[in-house]
Amino acid sequence: MNIILKPTTPKGKWALGLFLLFLVAGGAASLLSSLLGSNQEYPTLQSDPLLAAAIYMSFAAAIVAALLGILAVWREKERSLLVYLSIPMGLFLLLGLLIFGTALLFGPPAP
């Protein structure tokens, strides 16, 4: 199996680009949080719209990058190492989003 560093397929290139956007937007959100002095654990669009938008945009970019990476590997036989590295992070964030959404749906356990 021949593994290369940079993607060769269009879906692989999109996956890598979106993963890099995730890294940049996540870094910008962290920097923005420290500059604003925000101590909120979960900023919302009502409480801190700029920080929340940066965080949610980075999460969405990672999830879409993972899905495009899976499609590139599965359908277009992409063998790029960078595409392989983008898949677990997006899947991890998708799993966390599903768990968080399920917790919001059912609420905390009764005492």
Side-chain angles (χ1 to χ4, degrees), residues 18 21-22 24-26 28 51-63:
L18 287 171
L21 177 66
F22 159 70
V24 169
L51 181 59
I55 291 171
Y56 299 151
M57 182 180 67
S58 68
F59 282 6
I63 291 168

Side-chain angles (χ1 to χ4, degrees), residues 23-35 50-51 53-56 58:
L23 294 176
V24 169
S30 176
L31 181 65
L32 186 63
S33 175
S34 66
L35 287 176
L50 187 59
L51 181 59
I55 291 171
Y56 299 151
S58 68

Side-chain angles (χ1 to χ4, degrees), residues 63-86:
I63 291 168
V64 173
L67 296 176
L68 282 175
I70 290 170
L71 286 176
V73 168
W74 186 33
R75 290 191 178 167
E76 297 178 2
K77 307 299 183 225
E78 179 68 64
R79 296 293 175 245
S80 167
L81 180 63
L82 294 175
V83 172
Y84 282 137
L85 291 176
S86 72

Side-chain angles (χ1 to χ4, degrees), residues 1 5-6 20 40 45 47 50 57 66-67 69 73 76 78 89 96 106:
M1 185 160 114
L5 186 63
K6 290 195 273 184
L20 292 175
Q40 293 181 345
L45 291 174
S47 65
L50 187 59
M57 182 180 67
L67 296 176
V73 168
E76 297 178 2
E78 179 68 64
M89 180 59 80
F106 293 113

